Amino acid sequence: MPQPIGSSGPIGERLREIRKRRGLTQHQLASASGVSLSLVRKLEQGERDDTRVETARALAVALRVPTSRLLGGVHETQGASPSVVDLWTPVRAALAAPPPGPADDAPTVAGVRAAVAAAMPLAAGDRLDELAEVLPVLLRDAAAVADAPAGRAVNAGLMRLVGWMLTQTRQFDAAEDALGRALDGAPDDLDAAAAISTRCWLLLRRGRIAEAGRLAEEWAERIEPRMSRATPAELGAWGWLLLRAAAAADRDARPDDTERLLLLAGSAAAALGPRQVPGGFLRAFDARTVQLKDAEHAMVSDRPDRVLRLSAEISWEGMRPTSNNLNRNRLDQASARVRLRQYAEAVDTLETIWQAAPQWLPHQRYARDILGQVIARRRTLTPRMRVLADAVGVPL
């Protein structure tokens, strides 16, 4: 009896099985998906057992199956570089087993809360190296006050931040640990939803698309507010979960679900209006957030002209220049430029990101792929291309 589409096993086996069921040759699949024939062959022959989710999505669209069926369960993407692993070793060690603090200087809940608040600008400003230096002490002190109810909430908030940064730096197992603790210590559903939203992002980065989508939609339904009396915090939490669910549907080649979820997120933003969502940059949400994700949807669905048009319509007024969402949009713009063969403009955009967020960009595999496509089309490299290649880890 033949295995069902999406059964377990290497991606190459599933790709070959589904392609044959669809009656396609490797050449026809490559042509229909836009994925190179050489990569299709390498995947099917087992020479490559890892590929970007976006590549898998392009193959899945051509094969008319959800991406999650093609990937088949857990699809681990590339983790942190050795230098990042070394830099963050004290953070992971303090997360696993917080060391004892000085006996004559015990922390207080108020003091730890203030210290966590003081660290937030480092995270919001993408100053990852500095944050890696202060987090071990924060983890130690937060653990020391976690037995008190107020201290438990402070510790949960710190765990959300740590989980976010570990996800950002592709330290996925440690991020799972931190976010699990954040969820366990969450004082209410809105704090829990913030941890769940980050965990959905983590699952997407790991390629666990279906799991991310189910979790996001389950929690979006759980906390859906009554629009007539919803608070900004409720609208922001609900909106973000809808955006996570939309991102999962997008990568799973379910465009109708993606658009439905984006429309719902837009309704949350409309109900919010000019009000601010409390809770800092990790919970920031407004109409612009939905616009950014709409542009991302256009890129995932391979509509580069729409990416550039939507991006040009977004007002950046009031948004800090190193915003993760802003720079993620800039990566989409650079990718769109490559699709349109506007290579110099793509490099300009990557250079803008590098100048704004030099500690953030090296963690973006997306940036490496974009620059790699540019370099592949050049006989000689300019000095700034070489600098960018070193920054994002493109081999020359």
Side-chain angles (χ1 to χ4, degrees):
M1 181 176 178
Q3 289 181 307
I5 291 175
S7 58
S8 60
I11 185 174
E13 292 180 8
R14 290 187 295 277
L15 180 61
R16 182 172 56 253
E17 176 189 345
I18 298 169
R19 174 181 61 77
K20 288 182 176 180
R21 288 193 187 189
R22 295 292 185 250
L24 298 175
T25 66
Q26 289 181 335
H27 190 279
Q28 288 170 328
L29 175 58
S31 178
S33 65
V35 176
S36 70
L37 178 59
S38 63
L39 180 54
V40 171
R41 286 173 173 165
K42 286 178 181 179
L43 287 169
E44 289 199 2
Q45 292 168 4
E47 296 177 27
R48 286 276 302 273
D49 195 30
D50 179 47
T51 188
R52 279 179 53 81
V53 171
E54 286 77 4
T55 302
R57 182 189 185 279
L59 292 166
V61 168
L63 293 166
R64 305 191 307 282
V65 296
T67 311
S68 52
R69 291 190 184 179
L70 184 58
L71 292 175
V74 176
H75 174 71
E76 295 289 343
T77 58
Q78 186 175 1
S81 67
S83 61
V84 171
V85 171
D86 289 345
L87 176 65
W88 286 75
T89 292
V91 178
R92 296 192 308 277
L95 178 64
D104 59 348
D105 189 21
T108 65
V109 172
V112 175
R113 184 184 292 113
V116 171
M120 283 295 183
L122 299 179
D126 301 314
R127 293 154 64 185
L128 308 186
D129 293 353
E130 296 167 72
L131 191 63
E133 292 180 3
V134 304
L135 282 177
V137 174
L138 284 178
L139 286 165
R140 180 199 70 190
D141 291 349
V145 302
D147 289 338
R152 180 180 174 86
V154 171
N155 187 61
L158 176 61
M159 288 298 171
R160 287 196 300 275
L161 173 64
V162 172
W164 175 279
M165 301 315 302
L166 290 169
T167 301
Q168 185 71 265
T169 53
R170 311 189 75 86
Q171 301 174 83
F172 298 136
D173 288 341
E176 290 270 15
D177 183 16
L179 293 171
R181 298 191 202 186
L183 187 59
D184 289 342
D188 55 45
D189 270 0
L190 291 184
D191 279 311
I196 290 294
S197 175
T198 302
R199 185 164 192 273
C200 291
W201 176 43
L202 166 63
L203 292 170
L204 287 171
R205 291 204 102 183
R206 300 192 90 159
R208 291 156 61 178
I209 302 170
E211 186 179 352
R214 286 193 300 270
L215 185 62
E217 292 207 54
E218 172 190 326
W219 270 81
E221 182 176 350
R222 175 171 174 169
I223 70 164
E224 181 178 357
R226 292 189 178 182
M227 302 297 278
S228 60
R229 63 186 189 190
T231 66
E234 289 170 338
L235 291 167
W238 186 55
W240 262 117
L241 288 166
L242 291 168
L243 291 178
R244 299 299 189 202
D250 211 1
R251 285 153 180 78
D252 210 15
R254 294 185 283 114
D256 290 345
D257 286 339
T258 303
E259 292 174 9
R260 170 181 61 83
L261 291 160
L262 285 172
L263 282 172
L264 283 173
S267 71
L272 179 65
R275 293 179 293 171
Q276 296 272 323
V277 175
F281 84 102
L282 290 179
R283 300 195 192 190
F285 175 85
D286 57 20
R288 180 170 47 198
T289 314
V290 181
Q291 287 178 293
L292 289 165
K293 296 305 179 182
D294 198 12
E296 181 180 310
H297 168 49
M299 193 66 251
V300 172
S301 53
D302 197 19
R303 292 177 287 173
D305 288 321
R306 180 172 169 79
V307 173
L308 298 178
R309 180 175 62 79
L310 289 173
S311 299
E313 293 172 356
I314 299 171
S315 170
W316 302 115
E317 183 179 356
M319 180 176 278
R320 59 188 180 80
T322 55
S323 165
N324 290 163
N325 282 333
L326 183 154
N327 284 319
R328 178 59 171 76
N329 173 258
R330 285 171 171 164
L331 286 177
D332 283 334
Q333 291 183 54
S335 184
R337 297 289 187 190
V338 170
R339 300 283 181 93
L340 297 170
R341 301 186 179 183
Q342 299 171 2
Y343 303 121
E345 292 87 345
V347 173
D348 288 342
T349 304
L350 290 173
E351 195 166 46
T352 297
I353 304 171
W354 171 241
Q355 292 170 353
Q359 294 182 30
W360 178 86
L361 187 62
H363 300 291
Q364 310 309 311
R365 185 178 175 186
Y366 191 16
R368 187 157 62 250
D369 290 346
I370 293 167
L371 187 61
Q373 292 174 58
V374 174
I375 289 174
R377 291 162 173 79
R378 298 278 305 206
R379 292 185 178 180
T380 59
L381 303 185
T382 64
R384 64 179 184 149
M385 285 183 185
R386 293 183 179 278
V387 170
L388 283 171
D390 287 342
V392 301
V394 175
L396 299 179

